[in-house]
Amino acid sequence: MQRIPIHDGLFTDAGALLGARCPDCERWHFPADADCPYCSGERCQTAALSDRGTLCLFTGVNNRPPGYLGEVPFGFGVVELPEGLRLIARLTEADPTKLRAGMAMRLVIVPLHVDDEGREVVSYAFAPDEVA
Amino acid sequence: MSAGVAIAGVGIHPFGRFGDKTVTAMGVEAVKAALRDAGIGRGGFQAAFCGTVYSGVAAGHKVLTALGLSGVPIVNVEAGCASGGAALGLGVEAIRSGRCDAVLVFGIEKMPKGIIRSSFFEPWREQAGLAVTPAYFALRAQRLMRDSDVTREHLAYVSVKNHANGVHNPYAMFRKPFSLEQVLASAVVCEPLTVYMLCSPNEGAAAVVLRRAAGGGVRIRAAALRSHLPGSVLGEHTPMCGLPDDGVPPPSELAARAAYEEAGIGPEDIDVAEVQDTDSARELISCEELGLCPKGGAGRMIAERRSDLGGPLPVNPSGGLLSKGEPLGASALGQVIELYWQLRGEAGARQVADARVALGHTVGRGANASVVILSR
């Protein structure tokens, strides 16, 4: 089955998230954009982000939110990457009792749904990288 | 010295669900009641400002057209949950500038049912499960619990308190008390928030007539609006990323600072407050950000029942959004009307004794926060 990303420019074919770093304030942001959301710099450079991070905060989503095309329930939280940014991300683990702050997480590219043309639409999420 | 601004009249359409009734019809009722209360009609006000989010093109114009009251400038204001506060601020400025002697400020809304859907989120973000409003609320609740002694019981008690107050509010959507056990045992929407700890988006309208005033009556002492600064991943602007070193003041804190300065008073002077309580944790976060309790002190405030109706600083005596529901564009002006009644001693069974200074607060997606200070 053909696989397509949920949105262009979020991650590479190899499955790395694409962020951008501002040479003026040296901060990273995601998704990548030439304009810096922190200092208004206009020369941010797109680059792959680390595929490992640390879980900061988390909850579970038990009801289908409007417009969402994947499976419920699912996890939702904040993951900090070594580059020095925190991401809002879907989590593969929906049960908050199986998650804890400080847990090592790894990026995964996962199927979201099959579109009208029979293509598998994939998105990104973070999965626990250790046993809770 | 700039002109003083007083409330000349108020009108409210109940908050709730009203079937096929249009948002324009609700606005007409609230505006007519406010103009009657103020004793004015056509020619009695020189500008109108309408807060709304979901009502579409020229929504305020439709209301005033239905009443034959067009001709003055009519400005429709969208500022998320702070839309009514933003409209009020424009009305206050129009009078302070000397351009108007009286203005009409109203808010109208008819929200879709269920989890709020917003064009703020790009479609891919919704599709990927990254546009979940209650999940953002839950993460902020988790952060509050991590950074202070706030417990699930404290969160539940906020809902118990506000629903107990809402029983006495004829304009509230839910007028039934809940026990702590009922709130804790209701379905978990996003841990730690249960369904009874979350407000319902709904429908309603609220209108206020402002006039130039030298003294007396209920005065608008400040109407501040501030947006967020970049930084926090959990900011109300619901970003996709943020910084780990999150010491950035949130918009509610910025708006509160500006409002206290504008009014020349401090948080210690507030007798009664209506604050954003879209979820139970939000009320506690709001109290900390507004300086109504010390940073990290919200758990103690709620545990000691300090914000109960009979406590030293009652918060959300109207029942808050948890009881009233939240019609976005109308909610800030609904707070202002409640506080107007409180300051006039007209709040009935939910009256705060001898209230002289009052604060209203909203904050929402975008992100904007409004803080309104009133006094008598």
Side-chain angles (χ1 to χ4, degrees), chain A residues 61 63 65 74 76, chain B residues 115 121 129-137 190 365:
Chain A
V61 178
N63 307 300
F74 64 96
F76 187 92
Chain B
I115 295 176
F121 291 117
L130 297 169
V132 195
T133 304
Y136 274 94
F137 293 174
C190 291
R365 189 168 293 139

Side-chain angles (χ1 to χ4, degrees), chain B residues 246-332:
Chain B
D246 183 12
V248 179
S252 297
E253 199 175 310
L254 299 173
R257 272 188 221 161
Y260 291 136
E261 190 182 330
E262 193 177 322
I265 61 168
E268 66 282 358
D269 299 314
I270 304 297
D271 298 317
V272 54
E274 288 278 313
V275 309
Q276 182 95 3
D277 62 333
T278 27
D279 68 88
S280 291
R282 180 68 248 184
E283 177 174 306
L284 302 180
I285 295 165
S286 298
C287 287
E288 293 194 3
E289 292 179 349
L290 298 167
L292 300 179
C293 69
K295 286 266 166 62
R300 189 172 165 202
M301 180 188 68
I302 203 76
E304 294 178 352
R305 309 296 190 242
R306 300 180 64 81
S307 53
D308 277 24
L309 193 49
L313 176 50
V315 174
N316 288 325
S318 71
L321 305 178
L322 287 168
S323 301
K324 292 188 291 188
E326 196 193 18
L328 291 188
S331 62

Side-chain angles (χ1 to χ4, degrees), chain A residues 6-7 10 27 29-30 37-38 57-60 62 66-69 74 76 84-88 90 112 123-124, chain B residues 115 117 124 126-130 132 135-136 138-139 142-143 188-191 230 233-234 239-244:
Chain A
I6 179 77
H7 186 69
L10 294 178
R27 288 164 170 155
H29 66 264
F30 171 82
Y38 300 111
L57 295 160
F58 51 90
T59 187
N62 301 316
Y68 175 61
L69 297 176
F74 64 96
F76 187 92
L85 77 166
R86 288 178 173 174
L87 300 181
I88 291 288
R90 201 157 55 101
L112 191 66
S123 187
Y124 64 94
Chain B
I115 295 176
R117 189 164 197 175
W124 75 264
E126 285 191 335
Q127 291 164 13
L130 297 169
V132 195
Y136 274 94
L139 294 184
Q142 297 278 9
R143 179 176 59 180
V188 174
V189 176
C190 291
E191 180 65 31
V233 72
L234 293 187
M240 290 291 298
C241 73
L243 304 174

Side-chain angles (χ1 to χ4, degrees), chain B residues 219-230:
Chain B
R219 305 279 292 271
I220 307 279
R221 300 283 298 276
L225 184 75
R226 289 291 184 277
S227 63
H228 69 283
L229 293 169

